[in-house]
Amino acid sequence: MKEFDRVVLTVNKAEYMKDGLYMGMCGRIWEDFGGESENVLVNFDLNGWFPDVFHGMCVSKRDLAIEDAAESEERSKCIAAIYFPDLYNTDEYRKDYAVLTEEAEEYGRHDVHLGAYGQILSPAGNDVITVRFNLKYPKKSVTLDIPKKHLDYYGKPDCAW
């Protein structure tokens, strides 16, 4: 692990959770203290990749794993297709996404936490939205019905809620 690597938090610890950081959240190593230090400063993405909102925190290297670059590329293409349709004119990447904006025990039982990014499976007109979260850690897919008020929408501009 080195500065500017993309990483994913692999544990839930009280010291992280009190600051709103949960297993599966991603970020970028901002500073590696080098030498014998076990800690790095990580800027965690609090609302997915768009818009960039960060929370910096010192984290043990043992609690991190390198993020899979292929997953980052796929998500970036989907976001680009939403906001820059002239550059990505294929429907392959035009999907509606949501970011979880509420931490709830019910979601946590499924390893889905604040900041989780998922694909919307049901129409955006309902009060409850079905979202598939492809979790980075633990690596699994979870489909949940989430109240619309607990989500931020990242999708096609003509489909805003």
PDB file of all heavy atoms in Angstrom, residues 45-74:
ATOM      1  N   ASP A  45     -14.611   8.220   0.673  1.00  0.00           N
ATOM      2  CA  ASP A  45     -15.710   8.766  -0.126  1.00  0.00           C
ATOM      3  C   ASP A  45     -16.977   8.613   0.698  1.00  0.00           C
ATOM      4  O   ASP A  45     -17.397   7.492   0.966  1.00  0.00           O
ATOM      5  CB  ASP A  45     -15.908   7.986  -1.426  1.00  0.00           C
ATOM      6  CG  ASP A  45     -14.635   7.785  -2.218  1.00  0.00           C
ATOM      7  OD1 ASP A  45     -13.709   8.599  -2.071  1.00  0.00           O
ATOM      8  OD2 ASP A  45     -14.571   6.814  -2.984  1.00  0.00           O
ATOM      9  N   LEU A  46     -17.590   9.717   1.085  1.00  0.00           N
ATOM     10  CA  LEU A  46     -18.793   9.613   1.899  1.00  0.00           C
ATOM     11  C   LEU A  46     -20.063   9.479   1.073  1.00  0.00           C
ATOM     12  O   LEU A  46     -21.041   8.946   1.540  1.00  0.00           O
ATOM     13  CB  LEU A  46     -18.906  10.823   2.833  1.00  0.00           C
ATOM     14  CG  LEU A  46     -17.840  10.881   3.905  1.00  0.00           C
ATOM     15  CD1 LEU A  46     -18.113  12.027   4.865  1.00  0.00           C
ATOM     16  CD2 LEU A  46     -17.769   9.584   4.689  1.00  0.00           C
ATOM     17  N   ASN A  47     -20.063   9.963  -0.129  1.00  0.00           N
ATOM     18  CA  ASN A  47     -21.257   9.875  -0.968  1.00  0.00           C
ATOM     19  C   ASN A  47     -20.924   9.259  -2.309  1.00  0.00           C
ATOM     20  O   ASN A  47     -21.274   9.787  -3.347  1.00  0.00           O
ATOM     21  CB  ASN A  47     -21.875  11.261  -1.181  1.00  0.00           C
ATOM     22  CG  ASN A  47     -22.502  11.797   0.078  1.00  0.00           C
ATOM     23  OD1 ASN A  47     -23.169  11.063   0.780  1.00  0.00           O
ATOM     24  ND2 ASN A  47     -22.293  13.041   0.380  1.00  0.00           N
ATOM     25  N   GLY A  48     -20.269   8.115  -2.307  1.00  0.00           N
ATOM     26  CA  GLY A  48     -19.903   7.500  -3.570  1.00  0.00           C
ATOM     27  C   GLY A  48     -18.846   8.335  -4.270  1.00  0.00           C
ATOM     28  O   GLY A  48     -18.127   9.101  -3.646  1.00  0.00           O
ATOM     29  N   TRP A  49     -18.791   8.199  -5.566  1.00  0.00           N
ATOM     30  CA  TRP A  49     -17.742   8.888  -6.322  1.00  0.00           C
ATOM     31  C   TRP A  49     -18.188  10.223  -6.901  1.00  0.00           C
ATOM     32  O   TRP A  49     -17.390  10.949  -7.459  1.00  0.00           O
ATOM     33  CB  TRP A  49     -17.275   7.994  -7.456  1.00  0.00           C
ATOM     34  CG  TRP A  49     -16.268   7.002  -7.007  1.00  0.00           C
ATOM     35  CD1 TRP A  49     -16.199   6.365  -5.807  1.00  0.00           C
ATOM     36  CD2 TRP A  49     -15.156   6.531  -7.740  1.00  0.00           C
ATOM     37  NE1 TRP A  49     -15.131   5.535  -5.763  1.00  0.00           N
ATOM     38  CE2 TRP A  49     -14.477   5.606  -6.925  1.00  0.00           C
ATOM     39  CE3 TRP A  49     -14.680   6.789  -9.014  1.00  0.00           C
ATOM     40  CZ2 TRP A  49     -13.339   4.943  -7.353  1.00  0.00           C
ATOM     41  CZ3 TRP A  49     -13.554   6.117  -9.437  1.00  0.00           C
ATOM     42  CH2 TRP A  49     -12.888   5.217  -8.609  1.00  0.00           C
ATOM     43  N   PHE A  50     -19.476  10.516  -6.843  1.00  0.00           N
ATOM     44  CA  PHE A  50     -19.934  11.766  -7.451  1.00  0.00           C
ATOM     45  C   PHE A  50     -21.073  12.297  -6.612  1.00  0.00           C
ATOM     46  O   PHE A  50     -22.084  11.621  -6.490  1.00  0.00           O
ATOM     47  CB  PHE A  50     -20.414  11.497  -8.879  1.00  0.00           C
ATOM     48  CG  PHE A  50     -20.532  12.739  -9.690  1.00  0.00           C
ATOM     49  CD1 PHE A  50     -19.457  13.222 -10.394  1.00  0.00           C
ATOM     50  CD2 PHE A  50     -21.719  13.435  -9.743  1.00  0.00           C
ATOM     51  CE1 PHE A  50     -19.574  14.361 -11.161  1.00  0.00           C
ATOM     52  CE2 PHE A  50     -21.840  14.564 -10.486  1.00  0.00           C
ATOM     53  CZ  PHE A  50     -20.766  15.029 -11.207  1.00  0.00           C
ATOM     54  N   PRO A  51     -21.042  13.424  -6.016  1.00  0.00           N
ATOM     55  CA  PRO A  51     -19.892  14.323  -5.974  1.00  0.00           C
ATOM     56  C   PRO A  51     -18.859  13.831  -4.966  1.00  0.00           C
ATOM     57  O   PRO A  51     -19.168  13.000  -4.118  1.00  0.00           O
ATOM     58  CB  PRO A  51     -20.494  15.640  -5.483  1.00  0.00           C
ATOM     59  CG  PRO A  51     -21.654  15.204  -4.647  1.00  0.00           C
ATOM     60  CD  PRO A  51     -22.178  13.936  -5.274  1.00  0.00           C
ATOM     61  N   ASP A  52     -17.646  14.332  -5.075  1.00  0.00           N
ATOM     62  CA  ASP A  52     -16.584  13.933  -4.166  1.00  0.00           C
ATOM     63  C   ASP A  52     -16.720  14.672  -2.845  1.00  0.00           C
ATOM     64  O   ASP A  52     -16.534  15.872  -2.775  1.00  0.00           O
ATOM     65  CB  ASP A  52     -15.206  14.230  -4.771  1.00  0.00           C
ATOM     66  CG  ASP A  52     -14.920  13.340  -5.959  1.00  0.00           C
ATOM     67  OD1 ASP A  52     -15.490  12.235  -6.013  1.00  0.00           O
ATOM     68  OD2 ASP A  52     -14.146  13.739  -6.829  1.00  0.00           O
ATOM     69  N   VAL A  53     -17.072  13.939  -1.821  1.00  0.00           N
ATOM     70  CA  VAL A  53     -17.144  14.450  -0.461  1.00  0.00           C
ATOM     71  C   VAL A  53     -16.301  13.499   0.373  1.00  0.00           C
ATOM     72  O   VAL A  53     -16.524  12.292   0.340  1.00  0.00           O
ATOM     73  CB  VAL A  53     -18.594  14.481   0.062  1.00  0.00           C
ATOM     74  CG1 VAL A  53     -18.630  14.972   1.494  1.00  0.00           C
ATOM     75  CG2 VAL A  53     -19.458  15.367  -0.816  1.00  0.00           C
ATOM     76  N   PHE A  54     -15.326  14.022   1.084  1.00  0.00           N
ATOM     77  CA  PHE A  54     -14.371  13.159   1.750  1.00  0.00           C
ATOM     78  C   PHE A  54     -14.375  13.344   3.256  1.00  0.00           C
ATOM     79  O   PHE A  54     -14.736  14.384   3.767  1.00  0.00           O
ATOM     80  CB  PHE A  54     -12.952  13.445   1.246  1.00  0.00           C
ATOM     81  CG  PHE A  54     -12.799  13.255  -0.230  1.00  0.00           C
ATOM     82  CD1 PHE A  54     -12.636  14.345  -1.068  1.00  0.00           C
ATOM     83  CD2 PHE A  54     -12.816  11.994  -0.785  1.00  0.00           C
ATOM     84  CE1 PHE A  54     -12.481  14.181  -2.427  1.00  0.00           C
ATOM     85  CE2 PHE A  54     -12.666  11.815  -2.144  1.00  0.00           C
ATOM     86  CZ  PHE A  54     -12.500  12.904  -2.967  1.00  0.00           C
ATOM     87  N   HIS A  55     -13.928  12.302   3.921  1.00  0.00           N
ATOM     88  CA  HIS A  55     -13.704  12.342   5.360  1.00  0.00           C
ATOM     89  C   HIS A  55     -12.346  11.694   5.605  1.00  0.00           C
ATOM     90  O   HIS A  55     -12.169  10.507   5.333  1.00  0.00           O
ATOM     91  CB  HIS A  55     -14.804  11.581   6.098  1.00  0.00           C
ATOM     92  CG  HIS A  55     -14.577  11.490   7.577  1.00  0.00           C
ATOM     93  ND1 HIS A  55     -14.670  12.587   8.400  1.00  0.00           N
ATOM     94  CD2 HIS A  55     -14.244  10.456   8.363  1.00  0.00           C
ATOM     95  CE1 HIS A  55     -14.413  12.207   9.643  1.00  0.00           C
ATOM     96  NE2 HIS A  55     -14.145  10.928   9.647  1.00  0.00           N
ATOM     97  N   GLY A  56     -11.371  12.463   6.077  1.00  0.00           N
ATOM     98  CA  GLY A  56     -10.036  11.932   6.315  1.00  0.00           C
ATOM     99  C   GLY A  56      -9.915  11.344   7.705  1.00  0.00           C
ATOM    100  O   GLY A  56     -10.418  11.910   8.672  1.00  0.00           O
ATOM    101  N   MET A  57      -9.248  10.177   7.785  1.00  0.00           N
ATOM    102  CA  MET A  57      -9.067   9.531   9.074  1.00  0.00           C
ATOM    103  C   MET A  57      -7.836   8.636   9.028  1.00  0.00           C
ATOM    104  O   MET A  57      -7.556   8.015   8.009  1.00  0.00           O
ATOM    105  CB  MET A  57     -10.286   8.694   9.427  1.00  0.00           C
ATOM    106  CG  MET A  57     -10.212   8.084  10.797  1.00  0.00           C
ATOM    107  SD  MET A  57     -11.834   7.550  11.319  1.00  0.00           S
ATOM    108  CE  MET A  57     -11.391   6.812  12.868  1.00  0.00           C
ATOM    109  N   CYS A  58      -7.110   8.573  10.158  1.00  0.00           N
ATOM    110  CA  CYS A  58      -5.986   7.648  10.272  1.00  0.00           C
ATOM    111  C   CYS A  58      -6.543   6.251  10.515  1.00  0.00           C
ATOM    112  O   CYS A  58      -7.374   6.051  11.398  1.00  0.00           O
ATOM    113  CB  CYS A  58      -5.060   8.046  11.416  1.00  0.00           C
ATOM    114  SG  CYS A  58      -3.970   9.379  10.973  1.00  0.00           S
ATOM    115  N   VAL A  59      -6.080   5.303   9.707  1.00  0.00           N
ATOM    116  CA  VAL A  59      -6.574   3.932   9.754  1.00  0.00           C
ATOM    117  C   VAL A  59      -5.377   2.991   9.731  1.00  0.00           C
ATOM    118  O   VAL A  59      -4.379   3.264   9.051  1.00  0.00           O
ATOM    119  CB  VAL A  59      -7.496   3.654   8.534  1.00  0.00           C
ATOM    120  CG1 VAL A  59      -7.965   2.223   8.500  1.00  0.00           C
ATOM    121  CG2 VAL A  59      -8.679   4.597   8.532  1.00  0.00           C
ATOM    122  N   SER A  60      -5.489   1.880  10.434  1.00  0.00           N
ATOM    123  CA  SER A  60      -4.444   0.863  10.412  1.00  0.00           C
ATOM    124  C   SER A  60      -4.412   0.192   9.046  1.00  0.00           C
ATOM    125  O   SER A  60      -5.464  -0.129   8.470  1.00  0.00           O
ATOM    126  CB  SER A  60      -4.705  -0.192  11.486  1.00  0.00           C
ATOM    127  OG  SER A  60      -3.807  -1.268  11.343  1.00  0.00           O
ATOM    128  N   LYS A  61      -3.221  -0.035   8.525  1.00  0.00           N
ATOM    129  CA  LYS A  61      -3.079  -0.720   7.236  1.00  0.00           C
ATOM    130  C   LYS A  61      -3.696  -2.110   7.284  1.00  0.00           C
ATOM    131  O   LYS A  61      -4.178  -2.609   6.265  1.00  0.00           O
ATOM    132  CB  LYS A  61      -1.598  -0.833   6.856  1.00  0.00           C
ATOM    133  CG  LYS A  61      -0.949   0.482   6.535  1.00  0.00           C
ATOM    134  CD  LYS A  61       0.528   0.288   6.258  1.00  0.00           C
ATOM    135  CE  LYS A  61       1.237   1.627   6.102  1.00  0.00           C
ATOM    136  NZ  LYS A  61       2.687   1.457   5.901  1.00  0.00           N
ATOM    137  N   ARG A  62      -3.703  -2.738   8.457  1.00  0.00           N
ATOM    138  CA  ARG A  62      -4.299  -4.076   8.605  1.00  0.00           C
ATOM    139  C   ARG A  62      -5.804  -4.057   8.359  1.00  0.00           C
ATOM    140  O   ARG A  62      -6.390  -5.107   8.086  1.00  0.00           O
ATOM    141  CB  ARG A  62      -4.020  -4.630  10.003  1.00  0.00           C
ATOM    142  CG  ARG A  62      -2.561  -4.954  10.266  1.00  0.00           C
ATOM    143  CD  ARG A  62      -2.432  -5.476  11.672  1.00  0.00           C
ATOM    144  NE  ARG A  62      -2.966  -4.445  12.584  1.00  0.00           N
ATOM    145  CZ  ARG A  62      -2.335  -3.970  13.634  1.00  0.00           C
ATOM    146  NH1 ARG A  62      -1.176  -4.441  13.969  1.00  0.00           N
ATOM    147  NH2 ARG A  62      -2.868  -3.026  14.378  1.00  0.00           N
ATOM    148  N   ASP A  63      -6.433  -2.897   8.472  1.00  0.00           N
ATOM    149  CA  ASP A  63      -7.878  -2.782   8.316  1.00  0.00           C
ATOM    150  C   ASP A  63      -8.290  -2.390   6.902  1.00  0.00           C
ATOM    151  O   ASP A  63      -9.458  -2.085   6.653  1.00  0.00           O
ATOM    152  CB  ASP A  63      -8.431  -1.754   9.307  1.00  0.00           C
ATOM    153  CG  ASP A  63      -8.192  -2.168  10.749  1.00  0.00           C
ATOM    154  OD1 ASP A  63      -7.980  -3.380  11.002  1.00  0.00           O
ATOM    155  OD2 ASP A  63      -8.196  -1.280  11.614  1.00  0.00           O
ATOM    156  N   LEU A  64      -7.341  -2.394   5.974  1.00  0.00           N
ATOM    157  CA  LEU A  64      -7.594  -1.959   4.604  1.00  0.00           C
ATOM    158  C   LEU A  64      -7.197  -3.035   3.598  1.00  0.00           C
ATOM    159  O   LEU A  64      -6.320  -3.848   3.866  1.00  0.00           O
ATOM    160  CB  LEU A  64      -6.794  -0.691   4.293  1.00  0.00           C
ATOM    161  CG  LEU A  64      -7.084   0.543   5.138  1.00  0.00           C
ATOM    162  CD1 LEU A  64      -6.039   1.616   4.877  1.00  0.00           C
ATOM    163  CD2 LEU A  64      -8.489   1.071   4.849  1.00  0.00           C
ATOM    164  N   ALA A  65      -7.832  -2.997   2.441  1.00  0.00           N
ATOM    165  CA  ALA A  65      -7.436  -3.818   1.296  1.00  0.00           C
ATOM    166  C   ALA A  65      -7.430  -2.911   0.072  1.00  0.00           C
ATOM    167  O   ALA A  65      -8.173  -1.920   0.013  1.00  0.00           O
ATOM    168  CB  ALA A  65      -8.408  -4.973   1.089  1.00  0.00           C
ATOM    169  N   ILE A  66      -6.596  -3.230  -0.896  1.00  0.00           N
ATOM    170  CA  ILE A  66      -6.556  -2.459  -2.138  1.00  0.00           C
ATOM    171  C   ILE A  66      -7.865  -2.682  -2.885  1.00  0.00           C
ATOM    172  O   ILE A  66      -8.341  -3.812  -3.024  1.00  0.00           O
ATOM    173  CB  ILE A  66      -5.361  -2.886  -3.022  1.00  0.00           C
ATOM    174  CG1 ILE A  66      -4.038  -2.653  -2.291  1.00  0.00           C
ATOM    175  CG2 ILE A  66      -5.389  -2.200  -4.367  1.00  0.00           C
ATOM    176  CD1 ILE A  66      -3.684  -1.198  -2.098  1.00  0.00           C
ATOM    177  N   GLU A  67      -8.471  -1.592  -3.379  1.00  0.00           N
ATOM    178  CA  GLU A  67      -9.722  -1.677  -4.136  1.00  0.00           C
ATOM    179  C   GLU A  67      -9.444  -2.244  -5.518  1.00  0.00           C
ATOM    180  O   GLU A  67      -8.454  -1.896  -6.159  1.00  0.00           O
ATOM    181  CB  GLU A  67     -10.347  -0.282  -4.250  1.00  0.00           C
ATOM    182  CG  GLU A  67     -11.685  -0.276  -4.929  1.00  0.00           C
ATOM    183  CD  GLU A  67     -12.297   1.115  -5.011  1.00  0.00           C
ATOM    184  OE1 GLU A  67     -11.597   2.114  -4.793  1.00  0.00           O
ATOM    185  OE2 GLU A  67     -13.490   1.192  -5.307  1.00  0.00           O
ATOM    186  N   ASP A  68     -10.321  -3.105  -5.993  1.00  0.00           N
ATOM    187  CA  ASP A  68     -10.190  -3.699  -7.316  1.00  0.00           C
ATOM    188  C   ASP A  68     -10.419  -2.620  -8.382  1.00  0.00           C
ATOM    189  O   ASP A  68     -11.498  -2.029  -8.467  1.00  0.00           O
ATOM    190  CB  ASP A  68     -11.212  -4.826  -7.472  1.00  0.00           C
ATOM    191  CG  ASP A  68     -11.124  -5.546  -8.805  1.00  0.00           C
ATOM    192  OD1 ASP A  68     -10.275  -5.185  -9.641  1.00  0.00           O
ATOM    193  OD2 ASP A  68     -11.916  -6.483  -8.999  1.00  0.00           O
ATOM    194  N   ALA A  69      -9.402  -2.378  -9.201  1.00  0.00           N
ATOM    195  CA  ALA A  69      -9.472  -1.308 -10.211  1.00  0.00           C
ATOM    196  C   ALA A  69     -10.579  -1.555 -11.229  1.00  0.00           C
ATOM    197  O   ALA A  69     -11.198  -0.609 -11.722  1.00  0.00           O
ATOM    198  CB  ALA A  69      -8.127  -1.170 -10.912  1.00  0.00           C
ATOM    199  N   ALA A  70     -10.868  -2.798 -11.562  1.00  0.00           N
ATOM    200  CA  ALA A  70     -11.912  -3.103 -12.544  1.00  0.00           C
ATOM    201  C   ALA A  70     -13.276  -2.620 -12.050  1.00  0.00           C
ATOM    202  O   ALA A  70     -14.076  -2.100 -12.828  1.00  0.00           O
ATOM    203  CB  ALA A  70     -11.944  -4.595 -12.834  1.00  0.00           C
ATOM    204  N   GLU A  71     -13.560  -2.785 -10.764  1.00  0.00           N
ATOM    205  CA  GLU A  71     -14.829  -2.321 -10.218  1.00  0.00           C
ATOM    206  C   GLU A  71     -14.918  -0.804 -10.251  1.00  0.00           C
ATOM    207  O   GLU A  71     -15.968  -0.240 -10.527  1.00  0.00           O
ATOM    208  CB  GLU A  71     -14.997  -2.819  -8.785  1.00  0.00           C
ATOM    209  CG  GLU A  71     -15.202  -4.295  -8.684  1.00  0.00           C
ATOM    210  CD  GLU A  71     -15.293  -4.776  -7.251  1.00  0.00           C
ATOM    211  OE1 GLU A  71     -15.247  -3.942  -6.328  1.00  0.00           O
ATOM    212  OE2 GLU A  71     -15.414  -5.988  -7.064  1.00  0.00           O
ATOM    213  N   SER A  72     -13.827  -0.134  -9.972  1.00  0.00           N
ATOM    214  CA  SER A  72     -13.812   1.333 -10.006  1.00  0.00           C
ATOM    215  C   SER A  72     -14.059   1.829 -11.421  1.00  0.00           C
ATOM    216  O   SER A  72     -14.792   2.791 -11.628  1.00  0.00           O
ATOM    217  CB  SER A  72     -12.460   1.854  -9.511  1.00  0.00           C
ATOM    218  OG  SER A  72     -12.230   1.428  -8.204  1.00  0.00           O
ATOM    219  N   GLU A  73     -13.454   1.174 -12.399  1.00  0.00           N
ATOM    220  CA  GLU A  73     -13.620   1.588 -13.792  1.00  0.00           C
ATOM    221  C   GLU A  73     -15.066   1.424 -14.243  1.00  0.00           C
ATOM    222  O   GLU A  73     -15.632   2.309 -14.878  1.00  0.00           O
ATOM    223  CB  GLU A  73     -12.689   0.773 -14.696  1.00  0.00           C
ATOM    224  CG  GLU A  73     -12.791   1.172 -16.148  1.00  0.00           C
ATOM    225  CD  GLU A  73     -11.864   0.366 -17.042  1.00  0.00           C
ATOM    226  OE1 GLU A  73     -11.046  -0.404 -16.536  1.00  0.00           O
ATOM    227  OE2 GLU A  73     -11.984   0.532 -18.269  1.00  0.00           O
ATOM    228  N   GLU A  74     -15.680   0.305 -13.890  1.00  0.00           N
ATOM    229  CA  GLU A  74     -17.070   0.054 -14.263  1.00  0.00           C
ATOM    230  C   GLU A  74     -17.994   1.117 -13.682  1.00  0.00           C
ATOM    231  O   GLU A  74     -18.838   1.680 -14.375  1.00  0.00           O
ATOM    232  CB  GLU A  74     -17.480  -1.338 -13.773  1.00  0.00           C
ATOM    233  CG  GLU A  74     -18.917  -1.699 -14.066  1.00  0.00           C
ATOM    234  CD  GLU A  74     -19.176  -2.047 -15.516  1.00  0.00           C
ATOM    235  OE1 GLU A  74     -18.207  -2.196 -16.284  1.00  0.00           O
ATOM    236  OE2 GLU A  74     -20.348  -2.139 -15.888  1.00  0.00           O
TER     237      GLU A  74
END
